[in-house]
Every structure is written in C-alpha cells, then in structure tokens.
Amino acid sequence: MEYNERLARFRQGHVNPFDKREIDSSTEGKDPPKHDRAMDLGLAEDHFSQPVGSFVASDVDQLKQAIAECKRLILELPEHSEKQKDTVIKLIHLRLKLQELKDPEEDEPNLQVLLEHRFSKEKSKSVKQMCDKCSTIIWGLIQTWYTCTGCYYRCHSKCMNLINKPCVRSKVSHQSEYELSICPEVGLDKQDYRCAECRTPISLRGVPNEARQCDYTGQYYCSSCHWNDTAIIPSRVIHNWEFEPRKVCRTSMRYLALMISRPVLKLKEINPLLFNFVEELVEIRKLRQDILLMKPYFITCKEAMEARLLLHLQDRQHFVENDDMYSLQDLIDTSSGRLSCSLTEIHTTFAKHIKLDCEKCQAKGFMCELCKEGDILFPFDNHTSVCHDCFAVFHRVNMKMYIHTSSECPRLCLCQLS
C-alpha cells in the first residue's frame, strides 16, 4: 500500500520514487522479500506508458532526476548483483522515455528537403552509423536519424538544422567531369589557414585543428570534413595507371562514389599513349568495336530482340553506343581483369547468335569480293577488314595486297567498272 501511494504521488508530480530518503523511511527495519526486488525499481507496473495530453517541462526534470539517482545506485550497489542488474534495466527504460520526450518520433516527418538533399527517415536500429555533421555515433535504438537518398549523407535529426553542405548529387548532375590534375595543391596559406569547406581554422601542427589534405582536390580540410576516407583517384589512374586508394575528404569521397560508373573519360583525348603501355586496354577496345559491329544485327533481328541480348550490357550501356568513352569503374575492372573476362563471354554469346543460331543474321554475312571464295565473312571476325566508306567486308590478307596497288575501296572500283 505504501508503495502504491508513493507511486500515485509520483504520477501527480509530488514525489520522486527514487528518493532514497522516502525509500529508507518506508522500509526502515524491514528486509524486502526477494519477489519484490522488481517492485523497488518500479518495474512491476508500466510507469512509462504514454500519458493523456502533452508532457510539460517538469516531466523531463523528474526523469533526469530519476536517471541521476539510478546512476548513483548502480555505483553503490555490489557489482554483478541482481539489484544492480535491475537498476541498469531501469536506467535504460528511463533514458528511452526521456529520449521520447525530447525527440518524439511521431513529430518527425518521413521526408525532408534541405540544400538539395532529400532526407529520408531511417528505420534501421543499427548503431554502426556515424553522423556526418557532428561526427558521433548514431544510436538508432533511441535516436531519430536521416539519410539523403541522393548522396547518402547521414545525420541525427537534431543536426538537420546545422547542415551547411549541399547535396553532392546536384554537383554530379551539373558538373559531370573529373579533376584531371594530380593533387592540385594550392597551399594552406592560400586557404587562409582555414578548412576549404567549413572555414574552421586549421594548421599542419594540429593547433587548433589538424589540417588534412584531400588527394583529389589538393585542398586542406578539418577533421570534421575529412575523416581519412580513401578512394581511387581518377587522375592517377589516367596518367599513371595507379589504383592505390588515397585519402580524400568526405565530399570528394561521395562525389567519386557517385561518378564511378559514369562514362565521362575519353582516353583518346586525355592520354592516348595509355593504349601503348596497357595491353588490356587494347583488348577491351577491340571487343567494344566488335560489339558495335554486332549491334546492327541485333536491332534488326526479331529473335535477338525477343531474347534481349543487348541487356547483357545493361550495366555498361555506353558499350553499345561508342568505343571511346570509359568510366572509372571500367578502368578499375580492366586492371583487375574482370572486364576482359565478362566482355569476352558476352562477345562469344553475341557471335554465336549471329553465326550459328540465327539464320536471318547468317544471311547478312559477306563474301570477299576480291577472292570470291572461303566462308561467309562478318565484320567482327579477326581475319577480316571492313571498308569505312561502304562497310564491305574482305579477307584481311587480300585487302592488304590490294592496298599496295590502290588506295580506294576494291568494291567501289568494281562498282565503277560495272
């Protein structure tokens, strides 16, 4: 009865159930039975169900007092004792309720738009995420947090109004090109000894804040904008064929991650000598050229359209559009050998359909008009040559012999003679 009276007074805001003086006076000279251990902490009843009406400031203050008392009791109670474990459980319940009062989930919108970010409320309770604004852990169990659906910027709900970095995806949409100079450093003095992004004072000595260089932009950043993340730098790949990840700032990391699959690198113009030193690139270029020669067969073949053969390259759509544009992911996969294997397999599948499986595609083959003998020729065969003017196909050996005597296409000569 005494406990219930004290509980009723607590619900009315007149008393704190964790006031040790009241507990001692009401239980003086008595040993609480073991089955009432939970009752000492108020765990036998649901004291923290959502009350009718809104909370006031006194409710938060009372919960803070109860949390402080729980912390004190945990330190005073015997270590690993049952009573200490129950107190820890009580402390968790109190903190959860305090978080609900401070940051009620039902008041948080599911989608917020800020600085071109499209923030979506996360339902995951994982505690392994870090807030990109305050650089602290996001405790998903008790904190509301958001992720930008464009650039995957993560932050606490309480940090939303402090964000000053626009969404990186907007930069990708408006500026789809890489910095092609290797670490274009301008010097910390040119930055006025401030972070290139948030303008926080920084120095190389770490006072007041450590200056960290981004290998992609060449600029210096503070520890809040540069977490020592690493990424493969496009300029180092193109000029040095180097794939070692380098330290970059958070913004550069997100930008490179969003750009990695975009075909924006025209190697013939940026560094044509790369094909002289990287044999794998020569092989990839030949396979891509063959695929472009196969494409007309597929877009005019009903069976190929029904089999949707070109969808084999849906992850690299630019391979069926041109043979000179590359994405950074293409170059990474070329270096590892994955692209050569997958592209060779696709090339074999395409050639099999044209030369063996489909009679209509076979009928579109060519006869060498110089020797008039041999098998049916296709423009993607290794032993053939193709005229760039009329797209006629000849045996490569015969074409080389003809070139010695004439610079014109043999088919055009035959047409003129007839």
Side-chain angles (χ1 to χ4, degrees), residues 184-395:
E185 181 181 4
V186 296
L188 191 55
D189 57 332
K190 295 292 185 179
Q191 296 181 205
D192 196 23
Y193 293 93
R194 293 180 178 274
C195 173
E197 191 163 323
C198 68
R199 308 306 296 166
T200 299
I202 54 177
S203 74
L204 295 175
R205 296 181 179 179
V207 180
N209 203 341
E210 178 188 6
R212 299 178 179 178
Q213 188 180 36
C214 173
D215 195 81
Y216 175 68
T217 65
Q219 296 179 309
Y220 291 88
Y221 299 81
C222 65
S223 57
S224 296
C225 299
H226 193 314
W227 294 9
N228 287 328
D229 299 300
T230 59
I232 295 175
I233 309 301
S235 58
R236 294 185 181 274
V237 172
I238 294 171
H239 296 298
N240 299 336
W241 201 242
E242 178 187 333
F243 295 87
E244 180 183 355
R246 304 283 181 144
K247 292 182 179 180
V248 294
C249 66
R250 298 290 289 178
T251 301
S252 295
M253 182 198 69
R254 290 195 180 89
Y255 180 77
L256 293 174
L258 292 173
M259 285 284 292
I260 194 169
S261 298
R262 288 181 172 250
V264 296
L265 299 172
K266 196 168 186 177
L267 296 185
K268 289 182 180 179
E269 295 181 359
I270 301 172
N271 187 10
L273 294 178
L274 198 60
F275 291 92
N276 296 337
F277 297 95
V278 183
E279 296 180 0
E280 294 85 353
L281 278 177
V282 178
E283 180 185 359
I284 296 299
R285 181 174 60 182
K286 178 61 170 66
L287 290 171
R288 292 184 62 176
Q289 290 172 347
D290 288 350
I291 288 174
L292 290 178
L293 294 172
M294 295 177 183
K295 179 182 175 181
Y297 289 86
F298 295 144
I299 61 178
T300 57
C301 175
K302 183 178 179 181
E303 294 182 8
M305 295 294 288
E306 291 177 351
R308 309 183 75 177
L309 290 178
L310 289 177
L311 284 182
H312 283 83
L313 291 168
Q314 60 181 342
D315 294 333
R316 305 182 197 268
Q317 189 65 32
H318 53 287
F319 279 16
V320 295
E321 297 173 355
N322 57 70
D323 64 346
D324 57 353
M325 300 300 293
Y326 293 81
S327 67
L328 182 59
Q329 188 64 58
D330 293 337
L331 302 182
I332 294 172
D333 292 342
T334 298
S335 175
S336 65
R338 289 194 298 268
L339 182 57
S340 178
C341 293
S342 62
L343 210 55
T344 300
E345 184 178 346
I346 293 173
H347 184 282
T348 302
T349 302
F350 287 0
K352 180 175 179 293
H353 170 84
I354 296 173
K355 301 176 71 172
L356 299 177
D357 297 342
C358 180
E359 294 182 357
K360 293 181 180 178
C361 290
Q362 291 179 36
K364 297 176 183 177
F366 293 82
M367 291 292 295
C368 179
E369 298 189 28
L370 289 175
C371 67
K372 302 293 184 180
E373 42 182 60
D375 298 332
I376 297 176
L377 303 181
F378 293 91
F380 50 84
D381 288 334
N382 292 328
H383 60 284
T384 60
S385 294
V386 180
C387 174
H388 297 291
D389 296 323
C390 66
F391 300 104
V393 182
F394 308 90
H395 285 110

Side-chain angles (χ1 to χ4, degrees), residues 92-110:
I92 294 172
H93 281 271
L94 289 170
R95 281 180 167 173
L96 287 172
K97 177 50 64 176
L98 180 63
Q99 183 64 31
E100 288 180 9
L101 299 188
K102 285 184 174 181
D103 189 19
E105 185 176 354
E106 59 271 13
D107 293 338
E108 298 289 349
N110 291 324

